Amino acid sequence: MRAPLLYQFYVALTVLLVPFAAWIATRKLRRAGYPALRAHEKLGHASVPRIGGGPLIWFHAASVGESLSVLALITAMGRALPRAQFLITSGTPTSAKLVAERMPPRCEHQFAPLDAPGPIKRFLGHWRPTAAIFVESELWPQMLRRTRDRGTAMALVNARLSERSRASWRKRPQTAAYVLNVFDLIMTQNDEMAQAMVDMNAPADRVARGINLKSLSEPLPVDPQTTARARAALKGRPVWVAASTHKGEEESVLDAHTQLLTSHPDLALILVPRHPERSAEVETLIKARNFSVALRSRDESPAKVEVYLADTLGELGNWYALSEIVFLGGSLLPVGGHNPFEVAQGDAAVLSGPHVTNFAETYSEMTSRGAAILVDDAEALAQEVEMLLDNEAYRNGTVLAAQSFVRGRADQLDTIAQRLIRALSLEDSQ
C-alpha cells in the first residue's frame, strides 16, 4: 500500500521538529530524576542490551493505566512462551516507576522513542521485535508503519479512542487505512468500538471484541506495615476514600465530608489526588474549610485529623485496604472516570460520578448488578456514603457484587493470551 501524501508530509515535519521534541522530552525525564542514559531512550538509544536468542515481544502503552493493564497479560503470555523476552515501553516517568515495581519475569522497560525516523530506526534496529502489541489509543503513524515494514507481527489490544479522535481519523480515510492496515489483530473493549474501528477503515476481518484488560490486572500492591500503622493511628474510626480526584472535584468531596461529619463526627476522609503535584493546592482547599489535615508526603499520621491527604504515587492499594467505601474521581467532571476494577479487587464498594466514558460498558454492567453506585453531586455522594456507613447489609452486598463481577472475568486472561499468540504466529517462534 502506497503511503498517502498526508503521511509523507507528517514524516517530513517530524524530521524538522525532532530536535525540539527531543530537547523537551529528555529535559522532562532529567527533571524527573532519570540519568542521561535513560533520557536518551526517547531518541531510540537503548540503555540495556537485547537479551536472549528467543522471540522478543514488545508492548507499547501510553502512561500509567495502560502500562499496568498489560502486566498480567505479559505474565500469561510468558507462561505460554517460556523462551520469550518482553519489552514494555511507555512515555511518562510515573508509568516507568510503577512498571519497574511490578515488572513480570523476563521483561525490560524503556521509554518509547519519539515518532520520528531517526529514533524509531535506532529503536527497532536494537530491539528487533518479533511481535509488537500496542495498547488502547497508541496510534503513532511512523512507529506503526516502520515496525510493520520490518516484517513484525502486530496487534492492537484494549482499543479505545475518544469520539474526537475517531472523527479526526474518519476525515482522513486513506491515512487511517494505511496506518490501521498494519495490525494482524485489533481487539477492542466493546462492540461499539469494534464498529468504530471498522468505520475508521480498519480491516473488518481483523477486528474483534475483546475485554477491558484493566479488569484482568493484578490487585494493587499493599504494604502491610503502612496499613498497620495507619490502622493503629485511626483507632477504629470509620474511614472513606476519595481517590484519583481532579482539579474542581475536591470541593465536592470536601462538601460531602462536611455533611457527613454532622452525623459521623469521628469520620476520616483519605483524599488521594490524581496528580500528587497538586498537593499544596489541595491542602489549601482543605484548610479553607477549617478541616484538620495531615499529609502522607510529610510522613504525618492520620491520627485525629479529619482529612488525610495521601499525596504520593503508587500507594492506592494501601488506602483501599483501609476502607470498604471508595469514591473514584475523574467522574464528577467530564474527565471519563477511572478504574473501578482496582477498587473491587481491594474489597470496597465502588462510588463514582456520572462521567465514566472511559469505562462506559463496565459501569453499565456493574451498576445493573449493584456492584457500583453513581452519584451526581456532593449531596448525593454524602447520602450514599452515609448509607454505606450505616447499613452493613447494604455495604456488604455492594462489596460482594463488585467482587463477583471481577472474579467472573479472571478466567479470560489466558484466552486472550492464546488468541494473541495464534494471531501473531508466536507459537512457531518457540
Side-chain angles (χ1 to χ4, degrees):
M1 184 181 294
R2 184 177 179 181
L5 287 176
L6 182 60
Y7 176 83
Q8 296 178 46
F9 174 77
Y10 172 74
V11 172
L13 184 64
T14 62
V15 172
L16 295 175
L17 295 179
V18 70
F20 306 100
W23 181 80
I24 293 170
T26 55
R27 187 166 176 257
K28 182 178 180 180
L29 291 179
R30 293 302 302 276
R31 284 185 166 180
Y34 286 91
L37 180 66
R38 291 228 56 192
H40 286 171
E41 291 168 11
K42 298 296 294 182
L43 299 177
H45 297 291
S47 61
V48 294
R50 186 191 194 278
I51 300 173
L56 185 136
I57 304 169
W58 167 30
F59 281 78
H60 176 61
S63 56
V64 175
E66 293 80 5
S67 299
L68 296 181
S69 72
V70 299
L71 296 184
L73 179 57
I74 291 174
T75 301
M77 293 182 72
R79 288 194 299 266
L81 303 170
R83 291 185 61 244
Q85 302 291 324
F86 296 89
L87 172 70
I88 181 167
T89 57
S90 62
T92 66
T94 302
S95 64
K97 177 180 181 294
L98 296 181
V99 166
E101 294 171 352
R102 309 175 200 180
M103 194 86 76
R106 310 194 309 274
C107 187
E108 294 283 355
H109 175 271
Q110 297 277 279
F111 288 108
L114 297 170
D115 196 41
I120 295 173
K121 286 179 182 177
R122 285 189 288 270
F123 175 87
L124 294 173
H126 176 85
W127 291 105
R128 307 185 309 281
T130 309
I133 299 173
F134 294 78
V135 184
E136 292 204 9
S137 56
E138 283 300 282
L139 301 178
W140 292 101
Q142 291 188 78
M143 186 181 290
L144 295 175
R145 284 304 319 186
R146 291 177 185 275
T147 301
R148 187 66 184 191
D149 290 345
R150 289 180 58 91
T152 305
M154 298 174 66
L156 176 65
V157 298
N158 225 35
R160 177 181 64 82
L161 278 76
S162 67
E163 180 52 46
R164 182 177 179 181
S165 295
R166 296 182 224 173
S168 178
W169 282 105
R170 286 195 296 266
K171 290 177 182 176
R172 302 162 178 84
Q174 286 184 311
T175 303
Y178 182 69
V179 171
L180 295 174
N181 189 58
V182 303
F183 294 115
D184 298 285
L185 176 64
I186 297 174
M187 297 183 72
T188 67
Q189 292 185 9
N190 51 45
D191 291 333
E192 179 194 3
M193 185 53 62
Q195 185 59 52
M197 297 301 295
V198 173
D199 293 343
M200 288 165 50
N201 278 352
D205 60 336
R206 302 180 217 166
V207 176
R209 177 179 177 173
I211 190 172
N212 192 326
L213 290 179
K214 292 175 182 176
S215 68
L216 306 176
S217 301
E218 294 294 326
L220 293 174
V222 176
D223 178 20
Q225 291 185 334
T226 299
T227 55
R229 285 196 301 268
R231 284 196 181 98
L234 289 164
K235 296 181 178 179
R237 295 168 59 198
V239 177
W240 72 293
V241 177
S244 296
T245 56
H246 288 246
K247 185 180 179 66
E249 290 187 312
E250 287 89 8
E251 292 88 344
S252 295
V253 169
L254 294 171
D255 286 346
H257 194 52
T258 298
Q259 295 182 49
L260 288 162
L261 286 174
T262 61
S263 55
H264 298 81
D266 59 344
L267 180 65
L269 165 65
I270 299 177
L271 180 56
V272 193
R274 180 70 173 178
H275 302 107
E277 61 269 22
R278 295 183 54 240
S279 175
E281 172 191 342
V282 177
E283 183 183 13
T284 299
L285 290 174
I286 296 168
K287 289 181 175 179
R289 284 168 166 74
N290 296 316
F291 287 131
S292 54
V293 60
L295 272 64
R296 171 62 175 164
S297 61
R298 296 200 288 252
D299 200 27
E300 295 172 345
S301 169
K304 299 181 181 179
V305 298
E306 293 162 315
V307 180
Y308 188 58
L309 181 54
D311 54 344
T312 54
L313 285 171
E315 294 197 296
L316 261 182
N318 296 331
W319 316 133
Y320 290 170
L322 294 175
S323 178
E324 291 183 314
I325 305 170
V326 175
F327 167 75
L328 277 174
S331 58
L332 289 174
L333 298 173
V335 175
H338 290 299
N339 189 346
F341 303 109
E342 294 173 343
V343 179
Q345 289 170 329
D347 298 333
V350 181
L351 289 162
S352 174
H355 300 286
V356 291
T357 53
N358 292 344
F359 295 88
E361 72 288 346
T362 302
Y363 275 103
S364 176
E365 189 172 353
M366 289 185 77
T367 54
S368 69
R369 294 186 181 192
I373 303 163
L374 299 186
V375 297
D376 291 324
D377 52 30
E379 184 175 355
L381 176 59
Q383 290 173 352
E384 285 294 343
V385 172
E386 185 160 32
M387 284 184 62
L388 290 164
L389 286 168
D390 293 342
N391 190 328
E392 184 177 2
Y394 178 55
R395 183 174 69 250
N396 290 342
T398 304
V399 171
L400 288 172
Q403 291 172 338
S404 176
F405 177 77
V406 171
R407 280 197 304 270
R409 297 191 163 211
D411 59 353
Q412 300 184 48
L413 184 60
D414 287 332
T415 301
I416 293 174
Q418 288 299 327
R419 185 168 191 175
L420 284 167
I421 289 169
R422 289 193 301 271
L424 301 176
S425 301
L426 289 169
E427 65 269 75
D428 301 331
S429 63
Q430 288 294 297

